[in-house]
Amino acid sequence: MEQQEVIQNLSSVLFWDVDPNQADLERYPSFFIQRVLEYGDWHDWKLLLTYYGLQRIVAVCQQLRSLDPVCVSFICTISDTKKEDYRCYRLAQSNPTLWNS
């Protein structure tokens, strides 16, 4: 499946702030993977999985600074990896600070 075909078939609500003509799945994989994992539906996930493959998605997710805990659990389950392998899990603040402290 080609890049433009994937971009056209992804849910438009996920990338409302991105010009589809300027979108580049190869240049910004972390942006697309994180958006689809956190806000996409099953169809979006299947498209992403077909385009990138599970190994590349896992590699990108392991380097993300932030990722929803449910998404980390999902990726760990389907890829048989440990949460400790993910940067967002290791670097998460144990006591998040308040904005106006």
Side-chain angles (χ1 to χ4, degrees):
M1 187 172 278
E2 290 194 27
Q3 187 175 149
Q4 287 303 323
E5 186 179 351
V6 172
I7 291 170
Q8 290 172 355
N9 288 320
L10 287 171
S11 299
S12 60
V13 296
L14 292 176
F15 304 104
W16 60 271
D17 57 343
V18 177
D19 179 12
N21 298 322
Q22 301 293 330
D24 190 351
L25 292 170
E26 289 301 318
R27 192 167 181 188
Y28 307 107
S30 59
F31 173 73
F32 288 96
I33 291 170
Q34 186 170 8
R35 282 268 178 109
V36 168
L37 279 174
E38 291 182 343
Y39 305 110
D41 58 18
W42 187 248
H43 173 74
D44 298 324
W45 164 250
K46 295 300 274 185
L47 281 171
L48 208 67
L49 187 61
T50 301
Y51 185 78
Y52 287 121
L54 184 60
Q55 297 304 323
R56 185 163 182 200
I57 291 172
V58 169
V60 168
C61 287
Q62 288 176 336
Q63 298 304 315
L64 292 174
R65 290 180 182 257
S66 66
L67 188 62
D68 185 74
V70 173
C71 297
V72 174
S73 295
F74 173 71
I75 290 294
C76 287
T77 301
I78 65 170
S79 66
D80 196 29
T81 56
K82 298 177 185 175
K83 288 183 181 180
E84 292 79 15
D85 296 337
Y86 293 80
R87 182 180 187 185
C88 59
Y89 182 80
R90 289 190 319 265
L91 300 178
Q93 291 181 338
S94 58
N95 291 322
T97 59
L98 298 175
W99 289 103
N100 296 325
S101 304

